[in-house]
Amino acid sequence: WESFLPSQVLVQPVQLICLYAPAYHLILEGILILWIIRLLFSKTYKLQERSDLTPKEKEELIEEWQPEPLVPPVPKDHPALNYNVVSGPPTHIITVNGKECINFASFNFLGLLDNEKVKVTMIAFLIRKQVNYLRFLHFFSQIDVHLELEERLAKFMRTEEAIIYSYGFATIASAIPAYSKRGDIVFVDEAACFAIQKGLQASRSNIKLFKHNDMADLERLLKEQETEDQKNPRKARVTRRFIVVEGLYMNTGDVCPLPELIKLKYKYKVRIFLEESLSFGVLGEHGRGITEHFGINIDDIDLISANMENSLASIGGFCCGRSFIIDHQRLSGQGYCFSASLPPLLAAAAIEALNIMEDNPDIFQTLRAKCERIHELLQGISGLKVVGESFSPALHLQLEESCGSRENDVKLLKRVVDYCMNSGIALTQARYLEKEEKCLPPPSIRVVVTVEQTEQELDKAASLLKEAAQSVLN
Amino acid sequence: MKNINAMLNCTKLVTLNHIVHNGGLYKRPFNEAFEETPMLVAVLTYVGYGVLTLFGYLRDFMRQWKIEKCQNATEREEQKDFVPLYQDFENFYNRNLYMRIRDSWNRPICSVPGAKVDMMERVSHDYNWTFTYTGRVIKDIINMGSYNYLGFAQKAGTCQEAAAKVLSQYGAGVCSTRQEMGNLDKHEELEKLVARFLGVESAMAYGMGFATNSMNIPALVGKGCLILSDELNHASLVLGARLSGATIRIFKHNNMQSLEKLLKDAIVHGQPRTRRPWKKILILVEGIYSMEGSIVRLPEVIALKKKYKSYLYLDEAHSIGALGPSGRGVVEYFGLSPEDVDVMMGTFTKSFGAAGGYIGGKKELIDYLRTYSHSAVYATSLSPPVVEQIITSMKCIMGEDGTNVGKARVQQLAENTRYFRRRLKEMGFIIYGNEDSPVVPLMLYMPAKIGAFGREMLKRNIGVVVVGFPATPIIESRARFCLSAAHTKEMLDTALKEINEVGDLLQLKYSRHRLVPLLDRPFDETTYEETED
């Protein structure tokens, strides 16, 4: 067994190789072996260049570093710091800062905040069950009231399915990122509200703004996108496109031209998401929103989102549409999955409010008449112009001429508002986060019309505003 | 004597590396344990998922070739040539794995979810694609899934009467934002109370807990700031951090060495490419992590925060009301001062039986948030009956309503927690988390056991919550029990008996560190032999 000695086993083949292999082969192998040995023993290559600081230098840097204060100090007279304190419920007659006024500032369009029937239903519900229930949505928190509310809303809006959120802001801000992801394209109106902007930011998609209500601008953007698509058809086949518009814009009081949008939808194959917070319960013969107002088939809109905090005078929001679309949010809507559900008491209030809406369809006509009346009365105030459609219950009064800076405009409008408040009409300025908005609207006074306001009160408000404008602006 | 020694030896085995050595920082033992997944179980779990995936492909194939009926909702005919809304693969998990055990989730209930709950019975004739309600109600299911730590989700009581009064006066909604016409006197009352409860200068309340995080973190930090966030932070914290535009760096769960390394590197090297110094550094942690049941190492975090001059944002969604001798949260649990935490955030959803969130801190912070928080400007304020519920329950916990009910509940919760955890460990289940945390995750691992556990427990009238992927890592699915002060010892014993049975049936007792059972009666010198009761 001497032939099995290790040295022999190794030496013989090597000798054979050296004899029979060509020279260049041996040299190449030798170089490769040396290179491997070098790589094995060399230091690992670090991607991030670390400058060689000694521990002492590091400690000095740590000591020297001074962070900014967590929050910058806010001046005491900042207009947004001192809130109006409302004592008691924010109903038709409201007590603001101790003074009794007529409420022209709360979005209580149908007057359901103070409705006796709603209150009685809620108290009965409270006795049967309890105020809230606080659970993470998937587990033991879908109560029969929620199911009932979802069914009723779907039936009312004549869609297949509806889903309820526990907070109005979170509704559209969770719905958009559930469908539109990184790489998708969203065409959105410039005057879209802040909740839509946050939803778009969370979705990380490409945002393309088009001028407010300008269909020609939108078509231009869509055409540009089409030419882009032709250059890269593979990418185009997986890029989803959406248009996000509001039924009645919060920031300008206009309606969106929905029939033209539907035409563009089918021409360029874009899906439409409609935000109906202000128009739900306001527009249309039965209050079904802008689709009823224009007589459009509701299946043409992919997703309708609205909050229940305006017309329904409750808390929360809902999305409705076809099951194909809405069901997806049950697993991927962040505000739905990772949050507690709507307190059942508030869901019961919403159901009762829906009942009232269905039983009295003439309140929408009454509201519309009042909106048109005040719109007419407010024309011709020197120094202030009315912004908004004649049938929009939430109008803006902007300064005809700005006096230089936004700060001064805000101060001037505050004086007008204070004058009115002192004489018994509660108004408020429209509030915005100046640094965060994409297209900041000019400062304005918000005027809200509700069904509870009588004609005398509307007249009083209009004449008071005229007086205030006269005394403050001239 | 022998028994106690044996017990001490066994506990040492479990808690060996988890009692911290940072001497003076901790005033009480900190016992956290995350037992390792047994190798065989991990392999079998992967095999299980593999088999499910294969079957999933098979079923998709059959559905595509119309051999099997497709139950999915589909796109409209007129829109078939639009770009598809969902990627096929995104829904693969939903169609083939989630759908099979979908009946364990979204179970509708029809009573107050207190310690016991009534559930609507539902059956499915087509393998969970649709459900029909039989009309029967399953009564008195022991509720181990709701976050009802102090038992305020109850039918009758002072909370309910107060809420009814406020309801008839104020109505349900507010119809305006905080800065416009939505700031009611009730809100101011609530905020003063919250500030007193937490021991901070000032506080502000918001309408939704999730939104409190996602709308206030962007107001505090922006571009040029650094956020250090725990690995297992809640989706609301992650969303808030992303929306702020700051740089986010993740440190390993509850790992102080990882956090210190990140802090050091951040200050020494500055911003990634420009090397400018960071404007500020914000550390995001939670009081109790609800998926793991672990408690944050707050004394160490505060020591690090002070050393490196950063700011701390503490999310006490689960720990407020549930920890601490008087229910003031994780800060009181560790005996620290609330002034050390820069931003104390929490929710009213879990321990107070209401909805909404709050942030507490110094007056400058709250003034700034009143002016610049997204929620104050654009979102509706809290509903008045909800506010009243919070005020009543908070006064109850603080003892200001003149009774001892609050204190008794806090103590009951602590006792329930310790008892339940100890018994489960004795039985041999793998339980994650800290000994004092009322959230108890019990590991299931295998996908089939997720559905089986939920269904078996429901058969025995116990309602539990099971969690799987994607809320947890793929092989670490678990059942999560939430204890409550409303659970009596009898209820816990019943639940434990059933869990024991199901554990034997499904072979869930994976733990290899078996604790010797503790005698339930105090040791008495007159007994010579230990006898089983």
Side-chain angles (χ1 to χ4, degrees):
Chain A
W1 55 274
E2 275 148 5
S3 58
F4 289 98
L5 278 173
S7 51
Q8 289 225 323
V9 172
L10 278 175
V11 163
Q12 262 191 337
V14 173
Q15 279 177 336
L16 282 170
I17 289 172
C18 289
L19 282 175
Y20 290 111
Y24 67 87
H25 192 92
L26 287 174
I27 295 172
L28 194 61
E29 300 265 338
I31 293 176
L32 280 173
I33 290 175
L34 286 173
W35 187 259
I36 290 173
I37 294 175
R38 177 172 173 249
L39 279 179
L40 279 174
F41 285 111
S42 68
K43 282 202 182 115
T44 47
Y45 173 63
K46 286 202 181 100
L47 278 173
Q48 212 182 0
E49 239 186 75
R50 295 273 153 116
S51 49
D52 291 321
L53 293 171
T54 64
K56 187 162 179 307
E57 284 172 342
K58 286 190 183 171
E59 276 188 36
E60 273 175 19
L61 279 172
I62 292 174
E63 277 210 32
E64 275 172 19
W65 179 66
Q66 282 302 332
E68 279 180 8
L70 181 59
V71 288
V74 177
K76 274 206 173 22
D77 58 351
H78 195 286
L81 183 55
N82 305 311
Y83 294 167
N84 294 322
V85 180
V86 175
S87 338
T91 47
H92 180 56
I93 306 286
I94 190 176
T95 316
V96 188
N97 297 334
K99 204 163 189 322
E100 235 188 56
C101 307
I102 304 172
N103 191 352
F104 273 82
S106 299
F107 289 111
N108 181 16
F109 301 137
L110 303 178
L112 293 172
L113 191 64
D114 206 22
N115 190 299
E116 275 312 312
K117 257 169 86 178
V118 175
K119 283 188 186 171
V120 161
T121 319
M122 283 203 288
I123 293 185
F125 187 84
L126 194 60
I127 297 174
R128 267 196 310 134
K129 300 186 200 232
Q130 203 244 1
V131 181
N132 290 302
Y133 77 114
L134 21 148
R135 262 92 272 185
F136 191 68
L137 196 58
H138 277 222
F139 317 131
F140 299 165
S141 64
Q142 203 179 31
I143 212 178
D144 45 359
V145 188
H146 286 174
L147 296 174
E148 200 188 324
L149 180 58
E150 286 183 1
E151 261 178 59
R152 289 293 303 280
L153 281 167
K155 215 170 71 174
F156 181 75
M157 294 294 285
R158 298 201 193 131
T159 58
E160 269 180 24
E161 204 176 320
I163 183 176
I164 310 262
Y165 282 84
S166 60
Y167 204 45
F169 189 99
T171 313
I172 190 70
S174 306
I176 296 180
Y179 302 100
S180 179
K181 313 274 182 194
R182 201 193 281 269
D184 296 334
I185 304 175
V186 184
F187 300 95
V188 65
D189 193 299
E190 266 180 0
C193 68
F194 196 70
I196 297 181
Q197 291 174 32
K198 284 293 134 182
L200 292 171
Q201 193 185 354
S203 73
R204 301 201 251 210
S205 322
N206 295 335
I207 314 294
K208 301 207 159 112
L209 294 164
F210 63 89
K211 292 202 188 58
H212 178 54
N213 272 351
D214 188 345
M215 291 296 108
D217 200 31
L218 175 58
E219 186 145 16
R220 175 184 63 87
L221 284 173
L222 286 167
K223 278 209 174 75
E224 276 174 23
Q225 185 58 37
E226 219 183 12
T227 42
E228 280 273 336
D229 288 344
Q230 277 157 2
K231 288 184 203 152
N232 195 345
R234 271 185 80 199
K235 186 167 157 209
R237 246 179 289 145
V238 290
T239 315
R240 296 171 274 241
R241 297 127 224 265
F242 304 96
I243 297 180
V244 180
V245 282
E246 289 185 48
L248 199 58
Y249 285 92
M250 171 94 112
N251 292 346
T252 62
D254 296 325
V255 283
C256 73
L258 203 53
E260 281 106 62
L261 276 169
I262 303 282
K263 287 203 200 91
L264 287 174
K265 165 184 172 166
Y266 285 110
K267 188 168 167 197
Y268 294 96
K269 314 253 182 290
V270 201
R271 294 176 201 266
I272 299 190
F273 284 177
L274 191 59
E275 220 280 323
E276 288 222 72
S277 292
L278 283 189
S279 50
F280 177 76
V282 168
L283 294 181
E285 211 185 296
H286 296 100
R288 295 199 177 98
I290 194 171
T291 45
E292 204 184 21
H293 178 82
F294 280 117
I296 290 176
N297 179 8
I298 198 136
D299 279 337
D300 278 333
I301 310 287
D302 294 90
L303 179 86
I304 296 186
S305 145
N307 70 22
M308 305 195 282
E309 293 162 0
N310 301 334
S311 311
L312 288 179
S314 178
I315 302 274
F318 69 92
C319 286
C320 61
R322 295 183 68 243
S323 290
F324 175 67
I325 304 204
I326 298 297
D327 214 35
H328 182 70
Q329 279 180 52
R330 291 194 198 274
L331 274 187
S332 54
Q334 286 215 322
Y336 186 82
C337 300
F338 293 111
S339 178
S341 46
L342 185 65
L345 188 71
L346 300 172
I351 295 180
E352 190 56 37
L354 257 184
N355 286 343
I356 296 177
M357 268 169 69
E358 284 180 349
D359 292 336
N360 313 338
D362 42 327
I363 41 173
F364 306 113
Q365 203 47 26
T366 327
L367 180 63
R368 181 180 279 241
K370 296 203 179 179
C371 295
E372 298 198 347
R373 190 193 172 90
I374 192 111
H375 194 92
E376 222 184 282
L377 286 171
L378 288 175
Q379 303 287 353
I381 300 185
S382 62
L384 291 175
K385 64 176 180 206
V386 181
V387 175
E389 296 272 348
S390 64
F391 49 78
S392 156
L395 309 162
H396 288 264
L397 284 172
Q398 290 174 5
L399 287 171
E400 266 177 10
E401 268 181 42
S402 159
C403 46
S405 72
R406 194 185 170 92
E407 230 183 282
N408 290 339
D409 288 345
V410 167
K411 285 201 182 114
L412 212 56
L413 287 172
K414 185 169 187 321
R415 284 168 58 195
V416 176
V417 167
D418 286 341
Y419 186 102
C420 293
M421 293 258 251
N422 287 336
S423 319
I425 298 282
L427 289 170
T428 176
Q429 279 196 56
R431 301 279 184 190
Y432 304 103
L433 275 173
E434 283 151 25
K435 298 211 182 69
E436 307 271 339
E437 286 261 4
K438 280 226 175 86
C439 301
L440 187 59
S444 62
I445 300 178
R446 216 194 273 285
V447 178
V448 179
V449 184
T450 73
V451 278
E452 289 182 314
Q453 291 156 355
T454 62
E455 303 212 333
Q456 292 93 326
E457 286 166 350
L458 291 174
D459 291 339
K460 179 177 174 197
S463 62
L464 206 56
L465 275 164
K466 276 198 180 81
E467 262 179 56
Q470 202 73 326
S471 79
V472 170
L473 298 173
N474 293 344
Chain B
M1 222 42 189
K2 236 190 325 179
N3 208 31
I4 294 181
N5 267 335
M7 176 200 77
L8 282 173
N9 282 332
C10 279
T11 47
K12 248 194 240 159
L13 183 66
V14 171
T15 61
L16 192 55
N17 292 324
H18 305 293
I19 297 182
V20 288
H21 300 292
N22 267 337
L25 281 179
Y26 284 83
K27 301 188 177 95
R28 58 191 297 160
F30 186 85
N31 299 331
E32 229 170 57
F34 297 95
E35 196 179 319
E36 224 184 293
T37 314
M39 177 63 87
L40 181 63
V41 175
V43 168
L44 286 176
T45 311
Y46 280 121
V47 168
Y49 276 108
V51 168
L52 280 171
T53 316
L54 281 174
F55 267 92
Y57 280 126
L58 178 68
R59 301 286 284 274
D60 273 348
F61 176 75
M62 289 184 3
R63 271 192 276 263
Q64 200 183 14
W65 286 90
K66 308 269 193 282
I67 302 174
E68 186 180 325
K69 198 165 66 152
C70 186
Q71 309 257 20
N72 252 343
T74 47
E75 180 69 272
R76 277 176 85 203
E77 277 308 318
E78 298 91 333
Q79 291 180 217
K80 278 261 166 23
D81 52 348
F82 280 44
V83 176
L85 195 53
Y86 312 120
Q87 282 178 323
D88 232 6
F89 188 72
E90 235 176 76
N91 270 7
F92 179 85
Y93 176 80
N94 194 5
R95 276 196 307 271
N96 297 310
L97 275 74
Y98 174 72
M99 204 48 91
R100 299 170 76 117
I101 46 175
R102 196 162 78 114
D103 58 316
S104 309
W105 290 289
N106 272 340
R107 293 188 184 133
I109 61 177
C110 49
S111 78
V112 175
K116 292 213 171 153
V117 69
D118 299 336
M119 211 180 285
M120 289 165 70
E121 197 187 19
R122 60 181 185 174
V123 288
S124 173
H125 300 290
D126 49 2
Y127 300 104
N128 290 347
W129 284 96
T130 55
F131 292 108
T132 42
Y133 296 101
T134 60
R136 236 173 37 102
V137 169
I138 314 175
K139 283 200 164 298
D140 285 339
I141 298 179
I142 296 182
N143 186 358
M144 309 235 42
S146 299
Y147 304 135
N148 181 19
Y149 298 135
L150 293 179
F152 280 109
Q154 60 194 24
K155 236 171 140 177
T158 45
C159 296
Q160 192 214 31
E161 285 157 21
K165 216 168 67 164
V166 166
L167 235 182
S168 47
Q169 196 194 358
Y170 282 84
V174 184
C175 300
S176 190
T177 66
R178 213 55 206 281
Q179 281 192 0
E180 293 187 8
M181 206 49 85
N183 182 36
L184 307 177
D185 47 357
K186 278 261 160 245
H187 294 134
E188 309 246 314
E189 195 190 325
L190 172 66
E191 287 174 358
K192 288 198 183 74
L193 184 64
V194 170
R196 227 174 50 225
F197 180 76
L198 296 173
V200 290
E201 280 178 28
S202 167
M204 185 167 177
Y206 303 94
M208 185 190 189
F210 185 98
T212 309
N213 277 333
S214 64
M215 297 211 254
N216 287 312
I217 298 181
L220 292 174
V221 289
K223 264 189 151 63
C225 304
L226 176 66
I227 292 184
L228 296 175
S229 152
D230 189 292
E231 217 178 2
L232 298 176
N233 267 339
H234 189 252
S236 58
L237 288 166
V238 172
L239 183 64
R242 268 183 39 206
L243 286 178
S244 68
T247 316
I248 308 176
R249 294 206 180 138
I250 315 262
F251 63 90
K252 293 204 180 49
H253 179 57
N254 239 357
N255 186 326
M256 295 300 115
Q257 287 80 19
S258 170
L259 177 59
E260 181 158 18
K261 182 169 182 305
L262 282 181
L263 277 167
K264 255 203 197 123
D265 282 346
I267 301 181
V268 166
H269 296 287
Q271 296 190 30
R273 283 175 308 140
T274 57
R275 296 275 188 233
R276 287 199 201 107
W278 295 103
K279 288 197 198 148
K280 34 185 145 136
I281 301 184
L282 187 67
I283 305 177
L284 296 180
V285 286
E286 289 189 40
I288 293 185
Y289 291 90
S290 60
M291 276 301 158
E292 304 285 311
S294 51
I295 299 183
V296 66
R297 293 175 192 270
L298 198 60
E300 291 178 70
V301 175
I302 290 188
L304 279 175
K305 163 199 108 102
K306 285 186 177 154
K307 181 171 172 198
Y308 293 97
K309 291 176 265 189
S310 42
Y311 302 111
L312 180 61
Y313 185 106
L314 178 65
D315 178 343
E316 289 206 83
H318 287 266
S319 52
I320 191 77
L323 286 182
S326 65
R328 309 294 165 109
V330 72
V331 173
E332 196 196 22
Y333 174 75
F334 284 112
L336 301 164
S337 152
E339 291 179 16
D340 286 332
V341 180
D342 300 288
V343 189
M344 286 183 72
M345 177 264 170
T347 61
F348 300 119
T349 327
K350 281 65 181 206
S351 300
F352 299 97
Y358 67 84
I359 289 194
K362 296 213 159 50
K363 191 161 182 320
E364 297 93 53
L365 171 71
I366 301 298
D367 279 346
Y368 182 83
L369 285 177
R370 278 193 212 281
T371 326
Y372 291 106
S373 159
H374 302 186
S375 171
V377 186
Y378 293 107
T380 324
S381 26
L382 277 164
S383 160
V386 174
V387 172
E388 188 59 31
Q389 161 80 9
I390 303 170
I391 292 179
T392 330
S393 56
M394 203 176 263
K395 283 195 174 148
C396 179
I397 299 177
M398 285 164 80
E400 282 183 12
D401 60 341
T403 66
N404 242 355
V405 171
K407 211 165 166 61
R409 285 186 187 195
V410 175
Q411 277 172 348
Q412 178 74 28
L413 176 66
E415 272 174 38
N416 282 355
T417 309
R418 277 193 286 270
Y419 177 67
F420 196 76
R421 276 180 170 267
R422 185 172 51 84
R423 286 290 304 275
L424 280 179
K425 284 214 182 93
E426 281 171 16
M427 287 180 199
F429 294 101
I430 296 187
I431 307 288
Y432 273 10
N434 196 305
E435 266 181 24
D436 289 318
S437 124
V439 179
V440 186
L442 186 150
M443 302 309 287
L444 297 172
Y445 297 115
M446 303 190 194
K449 295 191 185 179
I450 305 175
F453 192 80
R455 290 172 192 153
E456 289 294 320
M457 293 304 284
L458 189 59
K459 269 196 228 159
R460 294 166 169 75
N461 255 13
I462 314 248
V464 298
V465 160
V466 288
V467 208
F469 183 78
T472 61
I474 191 146
I475 61 166
E476 289 175 16
S477 25
R478 56 201 75 177
R480 195 177 63 177
F481 300 103
C482 292
L483 295 163
S484 160
H487 287 138
T488 60
K489 192 155 186 299
E490 291 79 41
M491 284 190 222
L492 288 183
D493 284 333
T494 324
L496 283 164
K497 189 167 75 76
E498 306 292 356
I499 296 173
N500 200 4
E501 240 180 78
V502 175
D504 283 327
L505 180 67
L506 297 177
Q507 294 186 352
L508 290 171
K509 297 187 178 173
Y510 301 119
S511 177
R512 289 176 293 202
H513 304 301
R514 293 194 75 99
L515 281 185
V516 172
L518 191 60
L519 277 181
D520 273 321
R521 56 175 193 278
F523 184 71
D524 192 359
E525 283 136 10
T526 59
T527 53
Y528 298 101
E529 282 173 11
E530 275 72 53
T531 47
E532 289 287 310
D533 273 316

